[in-house]
């Protein structure tokens, strides 16, 4: 019976036509292998999307968040697998391994270098779009969340049960849990509670041998590594058990915009000395971008001071007036709302019913390049001025730098507690992003952000110049696409992302995936 079902499947043997000759390709073997293992033909049609499938492009593009990697010349996967059961994941690993396909795992598709859906060698995508369950247990203040869910789906799941619990993860609500927690996860609750990864208390992982492991069975080394050591390195994480954190029913958000003509440089200079020392309940950030000036036809640069306070406006105003009077915060700059609404506010969405958090395509996508820095010493006023002036250039029309204050809980967690090492002594993290509309111009924009990054070299952390893995930057160095990558070669970028934790990550990788099945341009290589 099984044989009959399979024999009618059109994709069992794929023949590539090459200059009139025909050539059997391992793709056919891969599909044959996977179809045999899944066995039920109606399930197969919901799980395997080959290039012949009319839905292939829409499934591929559904969660691409950097259109720089969605051009006609971008390498495409031989197939996209959207598993519905753990056994489908195990089978995909088995068949990819046995038939020479690289596996790219995708949860939310926000990887800024596109490594979850692009590879230079034959590859298939394991897309966890159907692994999206969120189970919130308010009594024990925990949740099990599957990797394919977004942060927005988790936030919504929590907020629909309680107004007094939250989760400290990233700002944008469309980010996938799988990639986000694998690399750290910093957001507006970060100064109070640390990273998303700091709150992971268990996980379900399928390893390179296809074994299903939980914290107890994977052991503390591997459990340490998956909480910040990067995705697609140690296995496929299917779900995470996270500890929720208390939030007050009312929080206060604010924005005060200052441009160059309104002393933005001086206020930003002052902010650097204050923001990391403010009470942990107060998160602040500065968003720098080009805006229209009050003089018609002219542009200026704006520093937008934004904040979220875990308390009411009446407590916030005197606090800021005392600690940071230069900001001139007034009641009209502030809005009180629930914690979950503050996610919309920081995500740049109008305040509206929070079920928008369930919309995975609510935010526009563009072509972009990102880079990050961690800053440990305040920049000089002239240094800030030079930085801001770079935003007056033409290529910065759609550029933004998001500068987020650290300190608070981040100062208290040891550098080696998790693979993410950027903790005590960081004043702020800067995420530089440049976007463009026309792919043909990408070179100019990428050059601009590289110049901005060179400019910041004298102000950023040094030896190593630290970088945040969740905003991958392949300019920092890459693994060899095929074959062996030495420890020394990978250290060039690895030490920037993980500092002294890189060595331990390599040791763990060597133990759990010595053949380097799970790999990408910046995955941890085995020895
Ligand atoms: P995606 O699916 O692209 O995966 C990213 C990486 O993880 C890839 O290498 C992938 O193979 C791997 N991976 C994914 N799922 C996996 C799984 N289940 N098991 C194993 N490996 C897996 N960061 C932050 O800290 N705070 C923030 O506020 C933001 N905001 C933000 C906004 C926007 C618009 C973007 C584009 C990015 C951010 N980020 C961020 C960065 C974000 O945290 C980072 O890109 C995450 O890796 C995204 O996770 P996804 O699952 O969406 O990515």
């Amino acid at each position: 019976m099984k044989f009959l079902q399979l024999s009618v499947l059109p994709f069992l043997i794929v023949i590539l036509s090459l200059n009139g000759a025909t050539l059997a390709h391992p793709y056919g073997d891969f599909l044959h292998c996977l179809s045999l293992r899944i066995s039920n033909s109606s399930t197969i049609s919901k799980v395997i999307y080959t290039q012949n499938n009319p839905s292939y492009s829409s499934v591929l593009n559904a969660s691409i968040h950097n259109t720089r990697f969605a051009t006609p010349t971008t390498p495409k996967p031989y197939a996209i697998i959207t598993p519905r059961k753990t056994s489908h994941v195990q089978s995909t690993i088995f068949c990819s391994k046995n038939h020479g396909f690289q596996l790219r795992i995708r949860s939310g598709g926000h990887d800024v270098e596109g490594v979850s859906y692009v590879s230079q060698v034959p590859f298939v995508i394991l897309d966890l779009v159907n692994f999206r369950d969120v189970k919130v247990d308010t009594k024990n203040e925990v949740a099990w969340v599957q990797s394919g869910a977004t942060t927005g789906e988790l936030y919504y799941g929590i907020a629909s049960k309680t107004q007094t619990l939250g989760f400290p993860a990233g700002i944008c609500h469309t980010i996938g849990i799988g990639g986000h927690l694998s690399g750290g996860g910093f957001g507006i609750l970060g100064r109070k509670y640390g990273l998303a990864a700091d709150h992971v208390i268990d996980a379900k992982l399928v390893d390179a041998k296809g074994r299903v492991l939980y914290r107890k069975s994977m052991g503390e080394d591997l459990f340490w590594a998956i909480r910040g050591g990067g995705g697609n390195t140690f296995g496929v994480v299917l779900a995470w058990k996270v500890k929720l954190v208390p939030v007050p029913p009312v929080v206060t958000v604010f924005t005060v915009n200052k441009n160059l003509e309104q002393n933005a440089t001086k206020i930003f200079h002052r902010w650097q000395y204050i923001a990391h020392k403010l009470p942990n309940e107060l998160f602040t950030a500065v968003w720098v971008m080009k805006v229209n000036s009050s003089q018609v036809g002219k542009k200026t640069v704006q520093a937008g001071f934004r904040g979220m306070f875990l308390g009411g406006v009446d407590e916030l105003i005197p606090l800021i007036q005392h600690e940071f009077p230069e900001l001139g915060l007034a009641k009209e700059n502030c809005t009180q709302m629930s914690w979950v609404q503050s996610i919309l506010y920081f995500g740049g969405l109008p305040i509206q019913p929070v079920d928008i958090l369930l919309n995975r395509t609510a935010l526009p996508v563009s072509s972009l390049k990102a880079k990050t820095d961690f800053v440990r010493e305040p920049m000089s006023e002239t240094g800030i001025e030079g930085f801001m002036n770079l935003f007056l250039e033409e290529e910065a029309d759609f550029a933004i730098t998001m500068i987020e204050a650290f300190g608070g809980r981040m100062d208290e967690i040891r550098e080696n507690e998790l693979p993410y090492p950027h903790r005590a002594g960081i004043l702020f993290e800067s995420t530089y992003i440049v976007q463009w509309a026309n792919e043909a111009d990408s070179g100019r924009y990428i050059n601009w952000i590289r110049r901005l990054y060179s400019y910041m070299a004298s102000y950023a952390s040094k030896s190593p110049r630290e970088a945040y893995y969740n905003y991958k930057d392949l300019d920092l160095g890459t693994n060899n696409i095929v074959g062996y990558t030495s420890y020394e070669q990978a250290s060039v970028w690895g030490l920037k992302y993980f500092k002294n934790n890189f060595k331990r990550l390599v040791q763990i990788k060597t133990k759990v995936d010595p053949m380097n099945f799970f790999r990408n341009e910046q995955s941890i290589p085995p020895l």
Side-chain angles (χ1 to χ4, degrees):
M1 184 58 199
K2 219 175 223 182
F3 173 77
L4 277 180
Q5 273 177 359
L6 287 168
S7 66
V8 295
L9 294 171
F11 43 73
L12 289 186
I13 299 169
V14 174
I15 305 292
L16 285 184
S17 184
L18 197 70
N19 289 335
T22 53
L23 178 73
H25 191 274
Y27 175 42
D29 295 337
F30 167 78
L31 290 178
H32 182 63
C33 169
L34 195 55
S35 309
L36 270 176
R37 291 176 72 99
I38 296 176
S39 95
N40 177 313
S41 58
S42 78
T43 309
I44 289 172
S45 66
K46 287 190 223 137
V47 168
I48 305 176
Y49 294 85
T50 66
Q51 294 188 355
N52 299 330
N53 189 309
S55 303
Y56 172 88
S57 293
S58 60
V59 174
L60 175 63
N61 294 330
S63 67
I64 288 185
H65 281 267
N66 189 351
T67 50
R68 183 176 150 212
F69 303 108
T71 70
T73 55
T74 308
K76 303 285 186 282
Y78 280 74
I80 307 159
I81 317 302
T82 57
R84 285 169 183 264
K85 293 200 253 175
T86 303
S87 64
H88 300 163
V89 176
Q90 295 170 297
S91 300
T92 307
I93 293 172
F94 177 86
C95 298
S96 309
K97 203 157 59 173
N98 284 343
H99 298 288
F101 280 91
Q102 203 171 84
L103 189 67
R104 293 293 163 123
I105 310 161
R106 182 163 78 170
S107 287
H110 281 59
D111 193 287
V112 287
E113 293 283 12
V115 308
S116 58
Y117 51 90
V118 181
S119 173
Q120 301 303 322
V121 297
F123 72 110
V124 295
I125 295 178
L126 182 75
D127 190 322
L128 297 177
V129 63
N130 296 318
F131 275 75
R132 285 180 33 201
D133 264 9
V134 176
K135 286 201 170 61
V136 176
D137 169 359
T138 50
K139 190 163 155 259
N140 295 302
E141 302 183 351
V142 296
W144 266 106
V145 54
Q146 290 187 321
S147 283
T150 58
T151 48
E153 286 166 340
L154 174 59
Y155 297 152
Y156 181 87
I158 299 167
S160 57
K161 288 203 162 177
T162 169
Q163 293 290 299
T164 54
L165 289 173
F167 187 67
I171 289 169
C172 165
H173 81 263
T174 54
I175 309 169
I177 290 291
H180 191 56
L181 271 56
S182 299
F186 185 81
I188 54 179
L189 291 175
R191 297 194 67 250
K192 175 73 178 165
Y193 293 115
L195 303 174
D198 292 325
H199 295 268
V200 173
I201 52 176
D202 203 344
K204 176 180 177 182
L205 170 118
V206 185
D207 74 359
K209 291 185 184 146
R211 294 178 303 184
V212 177
L213 303 172
Y214 288 85
R215 177 174 188 167
K216 212 165 171 195
S217 44
M218 76 177 81
E220 285 303 303
D221 265 353
L222 182 52
F223 184 59
W224 175 84
I226 59 171
R227 289 173 292 159
N232 203 6
T233 282
F234 302 101
V236 182
V237 183
L238 287 183
W240 311 75
K241 184 177 185 184
V242 295
K243 184 83 189 130
L244 307 179
V245 298
V247 291
V250 173
V251 307
T252 308
V253 295
F254 66 86
T255 301
V256 178
N257 292 324
K258 300 283 181 188
N259 62 32
L260 289 176
E261 295 73 39
Q262 296 166 318
N263 263 342
T265 311
K266 273 196 166 30
I267 301 171
F268 177 15
H269 182 253
R270 186 82 195 109
W271 174 87
Q272 302 173 100
Y273 291 86
I274 296 164
H276 65 286
K277 290 196 221 143
L278 289 167
N280 296 6
E281 287 70 29
L282 178 52
F283 165 79
T284 61
V286 189
W287 290 10
V288 176
M289 65 182 115
K290 187 193 279 186
V291 293
N292 288 330
S293 140
S294 53
Q295 287 174 274
V296 182
K298 289 217 161 165
K299 297 282 181 188
T300 183
V301 183
Q302 174 182 287
F305 295 85
R306 303 168 68 90
M308 196 274 277
F309 178 59
L310 292 166
V313 66
D314 293 336
E315 203 183 332
L316 172 67
I317 301 262
L319 172 67
I320 295 266
Q321 271 166 0
H322 185 255
E323 301 289 336
F324 190 20
E326 298 83 350
L327 186 64
L329 182 74
K331 218 166 183 168
E332 54 269 26
N333 306 124
C334 303
T335 315
Q336 297 195 129
M337 55 182 61
S338 64
W339 161 75
V340 76
Q341 283 174 322
S342 75
I343 303 291
L344 306 186
Y345 182 84
F346 273 87
L349 291 167
I351 300 310
Q352 57 191 300
V354 292
D355 48 15
I356 184 75
L357 293 174
L358 302 177
N359 183 341
R360 297 166 77 95
T361 54
L363 302 174
V365 294
S366 63
S367 291
L368 61 92
K369 168 87 187 149
K371 288 179 170 288
T372 55
D373 263 324
F374 290 89
V375 176
R376 292 177 175 273
E377 300 289 334
M379 294 171 71
S380 63
E381 234 177 277
T382 45
I384 296 175
E385 210 170 282
F387 169 74
M388 304 269 279
N389 283 338
L390 281 166
F391 283 79
L392 288 171
E393 297 184 11
E394 201 186 322
E395 289 80 7
D397 279 357
F398 305 105
I400 183 166
T401 293
M402 291 177 292
I403 300 167
E404 301 185 332
F406 270 44
R409 180 77 186 119
M410 291 297 281
D411 268 349
E412 295 162 7
I413 300 174
R414 285 179 299 128
E415 260 189 26
N416 61 358
E417 187 73 32
L418 290 185
Y420 176 104
H422 322 287
R423 305 279 192 170
I426 303 282
L427 303 185
F428 55 86
E429 189 244 342
S430 294
T431 305
Y432 318 107
I433 297 176
V434 66
Q435 303 172 87
W436 56 91
N438 186 351
E439 214 34 60
D441 294 336
S442 60
R444 269 177 50 212
Y445 293 91
I446 293 175
N447 281 341
W448 179 83
I449 200 170
R450 287 181 180 151
R451 272 194 295 117
L452 181 84
Y453 188 69
S454 317
Y455 176 86
M456 284 299 293
S458 45
Y459 306 105
S461 55
K462 292 176 189 61
S463 307
R465 183 173 181 180
E466 297 168 57
Y468 180 19
Y469 188 81
N470 260 353
Y471 290 98
K472 279 194 199 79
D473 177 7
L474 299 189
D475 290 354
L476 301 180
T478 60
N479 294 327
N480 295 330
I481 292 166
V482 281
Y484 179 70
T485 298
S486 70
Y487 179 83
E488 287 68 32
Q489 182 180 340
S491 300
V492 174
W493 52 266
L495 293 175
K496 290 181 163 66
Y497 290 135
F498 304 111
K499 297 180 79 179
N500 292 332
N501 297 329
F502 182 62
K503 200 169 180 183
R504 183 171 172 202
L505 287 168
V506 170
Q507 284 161 351
I508 296 168
K509 172 74 176 179
T510 308
K511 216 160 116 196
V512 304
D513 184 18
M515 301 311 286
N516 205 12
F517 171 69
F518 291 107
R519 62 189 293 167
N520 63 42
E521 288 76 356
Q522 285 183 342
S523 56
I524 306 291
L527 284 172

